[in-house]
Amino acid sequence: MKIKFLPLLAVFFAATSIMTSCLDNDVEQITYTSETSITGFSLGTLNINRMGKDKNGLDSPYVDTLDCSNYPFTIDQINRIITNKDSLPVGTHIDKVITSITYDAGMLGYTPKGSDNDTIWTSTDSIDFTEPVEFKVYAYSGVEGKPYTITINVHQQEPDTISWKKFDNNPFSAGNLSEQKAVYANEKVYVFGKKNDETTCIEYTKVINVSVPGEKEPKDNPTPWTSVPNVPTNIDTYSATAWAGNIYFLAGTNSKQLYKLDVTTDNIVGLNTDTFEKLIGGNDVKNELYAVKENKSCKFNGTTWEETGANPFSNLQGNYPIFTNTIQASYNSKITTTIALCNSSKAANDTVLVFSYMSNEANKGEWVSRAQNLPLPNLENVTMIYYDGKLYAFGGGYKEIKPFSQFYCSTDNGLCWRPVTECMAFPAEVPDPEKPNKEYINFPNLYDTHHGNYSCAVTPKLENGTSRGNFIWIVWEDGSISRGRINRLGFTPKW
């Protein structure tokens, strides 16, 4: 039963106490507490929207139940605020909520949604928490407690699903670019590419700490593209590699030389007169840059070059971008393994090529061709990124595989590549005019529209306690950008 006008009822309790104490001196006086605190709050079982499969194997929504009793709620006694810092899963119904509340002696009242009157709370009440609800304790002494505002937070996004946003109003200043390679350094995404007239260039966009007029906090949106001046001719655009805080690349015709792009000044300097066939990638853990020189694999420590063995990359026919990633061994931080991946031009080879290099305590090592137990298809213009603690690969089509149809994931340094079937995906839907806030990007169409010309870079997580960073940046032929991030990597830290 609902009882309204709780303040009057509380006054009645106080009056009863006074009358009892005035009967005579032989009657024991009763003193009622004036404490009005809520000391505990928890939820019961709630409904939640789920997606399953019907008998025909098609997606079918249904409503399930979720035990929410273990979700902790924080009670701020000073400001009288109660909330759950760990949000409930997306799709949880909070319009009919059964609660368990402990409080000081007296009565607990709340103001239901759409009402101006207080109502006594009971443990069987089904309360609408789609908006914050005020609760207050009425002490038997007649004291009316200061109200508590209770808010139930629910995630508005699927935590493990990747969301995409497009930026198509910032074209390259140099025009369309083919043979692209994108690298991230110093809060910028740099793209090395070839213009329509076959000359090479370097452009960058700032993607972190971008000041926005009228905004108090900086954003992680891209700025207009800016050309790097004084670039050498005949850059091997696929050789661009971020290492030791700067970007290294090769330039030249038959005899390629090593250059460094200082990302703090955007000045380019030639490092020496040595010539190279390929620049493989960098290992920031061991401070090593890997290349192929005089048909031998070698490494560079910033000062000198050292030969490390035979050249396993000699079977690469044609010029393709090489993508690398380095991890430390779990059993010994002094041992690192670097994985390199690139396309195979051989028509008979259905898989990409994977190479590995192990650097041990003695700083010795040699590149070897790595067999794949579950191989990655030889996707056109394949790209490999390290994201969310895993290796992901994607690219254009191959045989029956359509361009940008799915990610492939490896959790064992490129030995096995499994198609990702849920959450981490490229949406292929078209925009729904009935849902203007739900925007889709058709990646297969983008790939075809831009003639297969694209590049990709990943920004790291910002180590400053914010929810920013962790973005995947896909740059297309004309400079337009598709930006993606797994939703949970963008959630603001609560603890």
Side-chain angles (χ1 to χ4, degrees):
M1 179 180 69
K2 305 295 185 181
I3 302 177
K4 300 181 179 180
F5 308 111
L6 284 178
L8 295 178
L9 195 57
V11 171
F12 171 76
F13 285 143
T16 302
S17 173
I18 295 173
M19 288 186 292
T20 302
S21 64
C22 294
L23 291 177
D24 56 50
N25 292 334
D26 294 331
V27 178
E28 181 180 355
Q29 292 189 1
I30 301 175
T31 302
Y32 292 100
T33 178
S34 296
E35 296 295 327
T36 59
S37 297
I38 293 178
T39 57
F41 182 90
S42 63
L43 303 176
T45 298
L46 304 182
N47 290 330
I48 183 171
N49 295 331
R50 302 283 195 190
M51 183 65 71
K53 299 289 185 181
D54 61 17
K55 63 181 181 180
N56 298 318
L58 301 177
D59 289 341
S60 177
Y62 67 98
V63 178
D64 197 3
T65 57
L66 178 69
D67 181 7
C68 297
S69 59
N70 292 325
Y71 276 84
F73 278 75
T74 300
I75 302 179
D76 181 350
Q77 297 290 6
I78 296 177
N79 298 302
R80 299 261 169 160
I81 295 174
I82 302 176
T83 189
N84 55 320
K85 293 184 178 180
D86 185 9
S87 298
L88 302 181
V90 63
T92 303
H93 299 191
I94 58 172
D95 57 338
K96 297 178 181 179
V97 177
I98 303 297
T99 59
S100 176
I101 308 175
T102 56
Y103 53 94
D104 294 324
M107 295 177 300
L108 181 65
Y110 67 96
T111 306
K113 183 178 179 180
S115 174
D116 295 328
N117 299 316
D118 290 343
T119 297
I120 291 179
W121 170 85
T122 67
S123 60
T124 59
D125 285 353
S126 179
I127 305 174
D128 186 350
F129 278 97
T130 54
E131 295 178 1
V133 179
E134 282 195 350
F135 282 72
K136 63 179 70 172
V137 177
Y138 296 88
Y140 289 136
S141 65
V143 173
E144 176 183 328
K146 181 180 178 181
Y148 287 80
T149 300
I150 301 182
T151 302
I152 299 179
N153 294 315
V154 179
H155 281 305
Q156 301 304 305
Q157 298 174 316
E158 289 285 357
D160 292 315
T161 298
I162 189 169
S163 295
W164 294 94
K165 183 177 182 178
K166 60 182 179 180
F167 302 89
D168 51 11
N169 57 346
N170 292 328
F172 284 129
S173 59
N176 290 351
L177 296 181
S178 61
E179 297 186 23
Q180 292 184 22
K181 179 76 178 291
V183 289
Y184 168 81
N186 193 34
E187 301 182 349
K188 303 172 185 175
V189 171
Y190 288 81
V191 173
F192 290 64
K194 184 178 292 187
K195 303 177 187 178
N196 292 334
D197 60 2
E198 297 299 308
T199 60
T200 52
C201 67
I202 307 172
E203 301 222 353
Y204 70 85
T205 173
K206 187 173 182 181
V207 295
I208 290 181
N209 294 326
V210 178
S211 298
V212 179
E215 297 282 349
K216 293 182 179 180
E217 298 294 333
K219 301 294 184 181
D220 290 353
N221 294 336
T223 61
W225 290 99
T226 302
S227 295
V228 175
N230 304 318
V231 299
T233 58
N234 298 317
I235 296 175
D236 179 358
T237 57
Y238 290 149
S239 67
T241 298
W243 176 66
N246 293 296
I247 299 175
Y248 293 77
F249 62 93
L250 301 179
T253 51
N254 296 326
S255 300
K256 300 177 182 178
Q257 295 182 334
L258 183 66
Y259 290 82
K260 180 180 78 171
L261 169 60
D262 187 332
V263 297
T264 59
T265 62
D266 288 332
N267 291 327
I268 297 176
V269 295
L271 293 184
N272 49 47
T273 58
D274 292 338
T275 58
F276 301 84
E277 287 87 61
K278 289 188 178 298
L279 188 60
I280 307 303
N283 179 343
D284 284 323
V285 179
K286 300 290 288 187
N287 191 33
E288 297 173 346
L289 181 66
Y290 305 124
V292 175
K293 180 175 178 285
E294 297 176 356
N295 203 30
K296 298 288 185 181
S297 62
C298 56
K299 64 183 178 183
F300 181 55
N301 60 12
T303 305
T304 59
W305 287 94
E306 178 184 348
E307 184 178 310
T308 58
N311 172 23
F313 304 98
S314 59
N315 60 347
L316 296 182
Q317 300 176 3
N319 194 21
Y320 296 101
I322 299 176
F323 303 93
T324 63
N325 180 69
T326 299
I327 65 167
Q328 293 174 284
S330 59
Y331 55 87
N332 190 334
S333 61
K334 295 182 180 180
I335 299 177
T336 64
T337 300
T338 301
I339 300 299
L341 178 147
C342 63
N343 275 114
S344 171
S345 60
K346 296 180 180 179
N349 195 340
D350 290 336
T351 66
V352 299
L353 299 177
V354 177
F355 305 87
S356 66
Y357 178 92
M358 179 176 288
S359 182
N360 59 23
E361 295 99 325
N363 223 18
K364 302 293 182 181
E366 184 175 357
W367 283 100
V368 295
S369 180
R370 168 169 268 190
Q372 303 170 66
N373 295 334
L374 289 177
L376 175 67
N378 192 25
L379 303 173
E380 183 182 50
N381 301 328
V382 70
T383 292
M384 183 184 76
I385 60 174
Y386 182 75
Y387 187 68
D388 191 32
K390 308 176 188 68
L391 290 176
Y392 287 98
F394 57 90
Y398 182 72
K399 294 185 176 180
E400 72 279 1
I401 302 173
K402 295 181 180 180
F404 276 80
S405 58
Q406 60 190 12
F407 282 93
Y408 292 82
C409 179
S410 175
T411 57
D412 53 11
N413 271 350
L415 285 175
C416 299
W417 295 91
R418 294 177 172 84
V420 182
T421 57
E422 296 180 355
C423 299
M424 189 82 174
F426 296 107
E429 294 88 345
V430 296
D432 185 350
E434 300 298 324
K435 300 177 181 178
N437 294 327
K438 193 170 185 180
E439 182 180 78
Y440 293 97
I441 305 171
N442 192 312
F443 281 91
N445 283 355
L446 284 171
Y447 184 82
D448 293 338
T449 301
H450 294 98
H451 311 99
N453 294 316
Y454 79 97
S455 54
C456 180
V458 175
T459 52
K461 177 183 178 182
L462 300 186
E463 301 295 340
N464 58 359
T466 72
S467 61
R468 296 164 52 227
N470 281 315
F471 283 114
I472 301 171
W473 302 85
I474 297 178
V475 184
W476 301 101
E477 179 184 52
D478 59 356
S480 58
I481 295 173
S482 300
R483 187 186 72 183
R485 181 171 63 183
I486 294 177
N487 291 327
R488 60 178 163 76
L489 299 181
F491 292 162
T492 302
K494 299 293 186 181
W495 304 98

